[in-house]
Amino acid sequence: MRKKIAIIGSGFSGIAAASVLAKSGHDVTVFEKNDQVGGRARVFREKGYLFDMGPSWYWMPDVFERYFAMFGKKPSDYYHLIQLDPGFSMFFGKDDVMDIPVPMEKIYDLFDKEENGGAEKLKRFLKEAELKYEISFKNFIYKPSESIFEFINLTTLRNLPRLDLFNSFRSHVRKYFTSERLLKLMEFPILFLGGSPENIPALYSLMNYSALVQGTWYPLGGFSKITNGMAKLAVELGVKFHFNAAVTKINTSSGKVRSLLVNGSQHDFDAVIGSSDYAHTEQLLNPGDRNYSDEYWAKKVFSPSCLIFYVGVKKKIKKLRHHNLFFDKSLQLHSDEIYKSPKWPSDPLFYICCPSKTDAHVAPDGHENLFFLMPLAPGIKDESQTRERYFSIMLKRLEQITDQEIENHIEFKKSYCLNDFKSDYNSYKGNAYGLANTLRQTAVLKPALRNKKIKNLLYCGQLSVPGPGVPPALISGQIAAEQLIKL
């Protein structure tokens, strides 16, 4: 039966859910509180610069291929991908940079130079990581995680010890490598994409497999090309989008959603999927209809938020690549100041994306487009003077490490931090990435996709299964839609 279904939010998960439902013949409407599609993957233009506001790493290309294949399409039907070489670079100090090259043979050579027998160690590490990747995607990632029995099969049971669910990533990677530089290289995805190396299961070495073997890619024109392409596909399938349309209430009766209050007007629906921040979506319900209490969310371990600066520079900057990780300080200290004793970091690590190294469309000729990102504990105090102090720290480190003056060439600068995540995305504690992928917050232990009291209300996005990051969000929307179709 054709149903009238609403999606709250137009991020990756929301567009994915809408498209899967429309393909199944349903009448789907997406309500987006902001003025454009994409959620955290929004974009803005200023002084000839095109700034991606959120995601900048394109990993797990097979997830995107699988998504578009559901509709008989390919990513290349909507955007053009190029593989970055180097995929990314790590700066350990002045004139001390490690480029992660293409192809794999060069990566093996790099590991051999860093550590005796490094190539063979990496091959063994990646063989295990590939197995984890394949098993996870075949047996875990695309499951709704409503019961532990979803994951029990011969393949999983046979390989359970090799999945390393009960070992920490930190101990796992140290079984293979001793070089501090290689350890930082292998651990960085954990810090930037969802946790601390000592409390994240070693299962997530699958991220290293994607980073090193599948490679790092870039959609020409920026990440908005992906969400715009997804939205175009959704419209082709019949999905309707409404922007500047804030949902302020989910009305229920007799255990079902009946309507949404949007900008003061009531709209009736047969079912709803909330792809907006899960904790916020729950606040749109009467207290008795919610899955979780305020105390539940307060006890959860969140991935980092971040301080971002979008910067336009009137010169070309030497020595920078597309993706640049400044790891000249302690990873352990910064991680502790996110997870163990939340505070503004003493000596931060940070990341700079310079897409103008790859894409001439994102900055005026001869200029650079810079995206500074510093991981940060969610829920701490966010003040403008603090933001500026940390921008000064990052800029000075950039100038010192790359041996050039940049500050006097800055013609545009805009910051984005916890308060902005809260106001723009209703983000709990100003989180940027979602829940940390700790063992106690994995699969069936994550917030449920289905409302337990309201039959026709489901959730998707980074605070639910399968977890934080763009590919998991994309998958989350698919799973939620498939579950709703079964109702």
Side-chain angles (χ1 to χ4, degrees), residues 448-459:
L449 280 173
R450 195 185 304 272
N451 187 290
K452 302 166 187 176
K453 303 166 187 176
I454 306 299
K455 182 179 180 181
N456 57 344
L457 173 61
L458 288 88
Y459 309 87

Side-chain angles (χ1 to χ4, degrees), residues 283-467:
Q283 295 300 310
L284 303 178
L285 293 162
N286 293 323
D289 291 337
R290 298 169 188 167
N291 273 350
Y292 304 108
S293 66
D294 293 343
E295 291 75 19
Y296 170 88
W297 292 109
K299 292 177 181 177
K300 286 295 171 184
V301 180
F302 281 81
S303 294
S305 186
C306 51
L307 169 63
I308 300 171
F309 275 89
Y310 311 101
V311 181
V313 181
K314 296 186 294 182
K315 64 178 284 188
K316 299 304 288 185
I317 300 177
K318 299 177 296 182
K319 301 183 181 180
L320 277 187
R321 285 71 166 170
H322 188 117
H323 292 302
N324 308 272
L325 296 155
F326 287 80
F327 270 54
D328 51 317
K329 303 295 181 180
S330 169
L331 172 61
Q332 183 64 56
L333 176 61
H334 195 151
S335 180
D336 287 347
E337 290 173 341
I338 293 173
Y339 294 102
K340 291 185 178 178
S341 54
K343 65 180 71 171
W344 284 85
S346 306
D347 224 352
L349 307 175
F350 61 96
Y351 155 67
I352 295 178
C353 183
C354 187
S356 47
K357 294 295 183 187
T358 304
D359 191 344
H361 299 93
V362 300
D365 187 40
H367 296 208
E368 298 283 31
N369 176 319
L370 300 182
F371 172 99
F372 288 72
L373 184 149
M374 185 183 79
L376 192 63
I380 62 177
K381 193 172 184 179
D382 173 15
E383 296 178 319
S384 58
Q385 61 267 34
T386 307
R387 298 186 187 190
E388 291 299 325
R389 180 161 63 88
Y390 277 88
F391 178 73
S392 179
I393 290 171
M394 291 187 285
L395 181 62
K396 287 178 181 176
R397 291 247 298 279
L398 171 62
E399 290 178 326
Q400 290 167 359
I401 289 174
T402 62
D403 194 24
Q404 61 199 303
E405 194 276 325
I406 298 170
E407 184 172 13
N408 290 328
H409 298 273
I410 293 174
E411 67 171 346
F412 176 79
K413 183 180 71 173
K414 177 181 177 180
S415 68
Y416 201 94
C417 199
L418 280 77
N419 293 342
D420 302 295
F421 282 105
K422 292 175 186 177
S423 63
D424 287 355
Y425 311 122
N426 297 306
S427 171
Y428 185 80
K429 291 186 176 180
N431 82 82
Y433 298 108
L435 291 176
N437 276 324
T438 64
L439 184 59
R440 293 182 180 182
Q441 295 181 168
T442 295
V444 295
L445 301 178
K446 285 188 182 294
L449 280 173
R450 195 185 304 272
N451 187 290
K452 302 166 187 176
K453 303 166 187 176
I454 306 299
K455 182 179 180 181
N456 57 344
L457 173 61
L458 288 88
Y459 309 87
C460 61
Q462 61 182 15
L463 291 182
S464 192
V465 295

Side-chain angles (χ1 to χ4, degrees), residues 178-199:
T178 58
S179 160
E180 283 300 317
R181 290 157 58 95
L182 293 183
L183 291 173
K184 285 184 176 182
L185 165 63
M186 304 305 275
E187 288 184 344
F188 101 82
I190 301 302
L191 175 63
F192 280 81
L193 300 177
S196 175
E198 66 265 24
N199 65 12

